[in-house]
Amino acid sequence: MEDEKILSICIPSHNRADVILENLKDVLKIQDNRFDIVITDTSDRSGDYEKLLAIRDTRVKVIRNDVKSTAMENWFCALENADGIFAFHLNDRDKLIACNLLGFMAFLDRNKDCTGGVCKFLSEKEEPVLYCGVKNTVMNMPYFALHTTGMVFQMKSWRKIPDRKNIFTREKSGCHPHDMILGRLSVMGDMFLYTKHIWEMAPVEFYKKNLSGAGMMRFFEPKERLFELKCCLRELESLDVVGEELKVAKRLQMIKNYINLSTLGYFYHTESEYEAIHYGNTPQKYSILQKKKIIDKVLKLYRRELTLQGKTYASLKNWTYRNFIVGELAKKSHVIKSKQMRKLLRTMNRKRKLREDAMLR
C-alpha cells in the first residue's frame, strides 16, 4: 500500500536553483515517502531550470512557470499543485530543518482535521499550540503580516476558497496573501501554531548579496502597511460567521499590530544594515527626536485614514509611545547607575519584545 502523502513542501523558485539544491540536500536523504516537494520555477537565468530538472528523486516535482509571473503568482502556483494533506510554503532562499521534518509530519498526522497553521518561533510555549473554535482561531491566526515561509494550509480547506487566486494579487492583499488565506481557513475549523524549529531564514550574508524580488522593496513603509491593513480589514468584514463583538476586538488588535509594524518595525527595517541592503536601500540611523516625529506622522495618518477617535485613538497613541519609550530606554540602560532600574527596564523591554514576537497574541 502506498504511503499517505501528509505534506507537500512548496518552493516557488526564481534564479535560485543552487540555493535550493543546497538547502534540500539533507531533506532528500530522509527515507520517507509521506512528503513530496513541489518546485515552481520562473527563472530567467540560463541553466537554473535545468539544474532543478536534474534532481533525481521521485518525490520532487518541478513545474515550469511563466517567467513573467509575479512572485505572488508563483507562490500560488506552487500551493495549487500540492497533493499532500497539507502544503507548507518555503521561500527559495529559506531552509527546512531536515532533522525536525519527521516530528513535524507526525504532528500533522495527529492533527489532520486542522484547516492550517503557522510554523513560527513566536510563542513562549515550547510545545505546539492548538486553537479551537472561531474566536480563538480568528484572534490568533490571521492578519499579522506574516513572512510567507512557515505557512501551512490543509488542501481540502484551501480548495474550498473559490477566489483564492485573486487573493494572491497585491491589489487584494498587499504583500501577504497567505495571511488572507489564514483568515478564510480560521472560520473553517481548528488551527495550530507549531513552535518547534522547523525552518530557518537565509543567513545575513545572503541578504547582503541578494536584493528582494520586485514588488517587495517598499512593503515595510508606513503607507504600504496601512494599505495592507485596509485590505485585511475589508477581508475581516466579509467573514459572515464572525460576530460583531469578535470583529471589534480583532479590528483593534490588527490596528495595534500594523501601527507597531509602521513604527518600530519600520525603524528596524531601515536601520538594520542587512535588511536595508536586501531591499535596495541605504541603512539609516534616527535620533529619538526623529523617531518621535515619524511616530507622530504615522499616528495622524492612521487616525485620518481609519477615522480613529476619542478614547480608542488615545489608547492606541499611549500604547504606541509606551512601546517606543521602553525600547529606547532599554537601549540606554547601560548608563543607568541603579542596578534595580537597569533590571526593571530590561525586563519590561524583554516582555515587550515577547509580545511583538508573539504577534500581539
Side-chain angles (χ1 to χ4, degrees):
M1 182 178 176
E2 189 176 344
D3 292 330
E4 184 178 36
K5 197 81 67 186
I6 294 182
L7 182 65
S8 289
I9 301 164
C10 301
I11 309 175
S13 169
H14 182 77
N15 292 344
R16 287 181 182 156
D18 291 333
V19 177
I20 292 173
L21 292 172
E22 180 63 30
N23 286 345
L24 288 183
K25 247 190 230 178
D26 293 336
V27 174
L28 293 178
K29 290 176 184 177
I30 298 173
Q31 300 299 311
D32 196 307
N33 290 319
R34 295 175 301 158
F35 75 91
D36 63 2
I37 298 168
V38 179
I39 303 174
T40 52
D41 183 66
T42 59
S43 297
D44 53 16
R45 188 170 62 189
S46 177
D48 263 56
Y49 176 58
E50 289 72 23
K51 287 178 181 178
L52 295 172
L53 280 180
I55 300 174
R56 297 290 177 242
D57 194 303
T58 57
R59 296 170 297 181
V60 178
K61 177 166 62 174
V62 180
I63 299 167
R64 182 60 168 166
N65 203 358
D66 189 336
V67 297
K68 295 180 181 179
S69 297
T70 65
M72 289 189 187
E73 288 169 343
N74 204 27
W75 296 348
F76 176 79
C77 183
L79 293 164
E80 191 75 351
N81 281 280
D83 54 8
I85 296 173
F86 293 96
F88 178 93
H89 181 111
L90 185 73
N91 278 347
D92 57 4
R93 62 180 180 266
D94 298 328
K95 182 177 182 180
L96 199 67
I97 309 301
C99 60
N100 293 339
L101 179 58
L102 294 180
F104 179 46
M105 286 198 298
F107 170 81
L108 294 178
D109 197 21
R110 293 193 302 270
N111 295 280
K112 291 177 185 175
D113 291 335
C114 282
T115 61
V118 178
C119 296
K120 303 280 177 181
F121 332 118
L122 299 169
S123 171
E124 52 204 287
K125 300 179 186 297
E126 295 182 0
E127 294 301 319
V129 183
L130 286 177
Y131 295 111
C132 304
V134 172
K135 181 178 180 180
N136 284 324
T137 55
V138 168
M139 287 301 295
N140 289 285
M141 299 308 299
Y143 314 133
F144 291 106
L146 292 173
H147 185 278
T148 55
T149 289
M151 299 291 192
V152 185
F153 304 147
Q154 184 203 60
M155 286 294 96
K156 183 172 66 175
S157 298
W158 158 272
R159 293 190 174 99
K160 290 179 182 178
I161 303 173
D163 61 337
R164 58 187 180 275
K165 186 174 184 179
N166 291 333
I167 293 174
F168 278 73
T169 63
R170 185 189 178 283
E171 294 74 20
K172 180 73 176 179
S173 66
C175 291
H176 294 89
H178 298 67
D179 227 354
M180 297 282 191
I181 297 296
L182 286 178
R184 299 292 184 91
L185 299 180
S186 69
V187 296
M188 293 186 191
D190 301 338
M191 304 189 79
F192 63 82
L193 177 64
Y194 193 81
T195 57
K196 294 180 180 293
H197 200 95
I198 187 66
W199 66 275
E200 61 186 20
M201 294 181 71
V204 172
E205 292 71 24
F206 176 91
Y207 283 96
K208 287 183 177 180
K209 295 177 183 177
N210 294 272
L211 290 179
S212 179
M216 298 293 286
M217 301 294 194
R218 308 175 75 85
F219 84 94
F220 52 82
E221 293 191 355
K223 286 185 179 179
E224 180 68 24
R225 295 292 197 185
L226 179 59
F227 169 74
E228 189 169 278
L229 171 60
K230 288 181 176 180
C231 293
C232 291
L233 290 172
R234 285 196 299 271
E235 183 70 21
L236 174 66
E237 288 305 312
S238 72
L239 299 179
D240 295 334
V241 300
V242 178
E244 191 57 34
E245 186 178 345
L246 179 55
K247 283 184 179 179
V248 170
K250 183 64 179 180
R251 184 175 188 270
L252 181 59
Q253 180 201 51
M254 290 160 65
I255 293 172
K256 273 188 172 183
N257 185 53
Y258 274 85
I259 288 178
N260 189 59
L261 291 169
S262 298
T263 53
L264 301 190
Y266 175 69
F267 300 145
Y268 168 73
H269 279 289
T270 53
E271 290 188 321
S272 168
E273 181 184 356
Y274 79 87
E275 282 283 340
I277 291 173
H278 177 56
Y279 291 103
N281 299 311
T282 302
Q284 300 181 49
K285 291 296 179 185
Y286 302 104
S287 67
I288 291 180
L289 184 58
Q290 287 172 320
K291 287 182 178 180
K292 181 185 180 301
K293 287 181 178 179
I294 292 172
I295 290 173
D296 285 339
K297 286 183 180 179
V298 168
L299 288 169
K300 288 178 182 177
L301 176 68
Y302 274 68
R303 181 178 62 180
R304 183 178 70 248
E305 295 294 320
L306 301 177
T307 60
L308 300 172
Q309 301 174 18
K311 290 182 180 179
T312 299
Y313 177 70
S315 174
L316 287 167
K317 185 176 181 179
N318 290 338
W319 179 85
T320 302
Y321 274 112
R322 186 167 60 249
N323 271 355
F324 169 61
I325 291 168
V326 168
E328 291 299 316
L329 286 176
K331 290 178 187 176
K332 310 292 184 183
S333 62
H334 62 281
V335 301
I336 296 175
K337 293 182 179 181
S338 169
K339 185 177 180 180
Q340 286 184 321
M341 183 58 70
R342 289 200 305 271
K343 184 178 179 181
L344 175 63
L345 284 171
R346 288 168 181 170
T347 299
M348 289 172 65
N349 193 45
R350 191 161 54 247
K351 288 181 178 179
R352 178 188 65 82
K353 285 186 174 180
L354 195 59
R355 286 195 304 272
E356 286 178 22
D357 291 345
M359 301 187 299
L360 301 171
R361 284 185 172 82

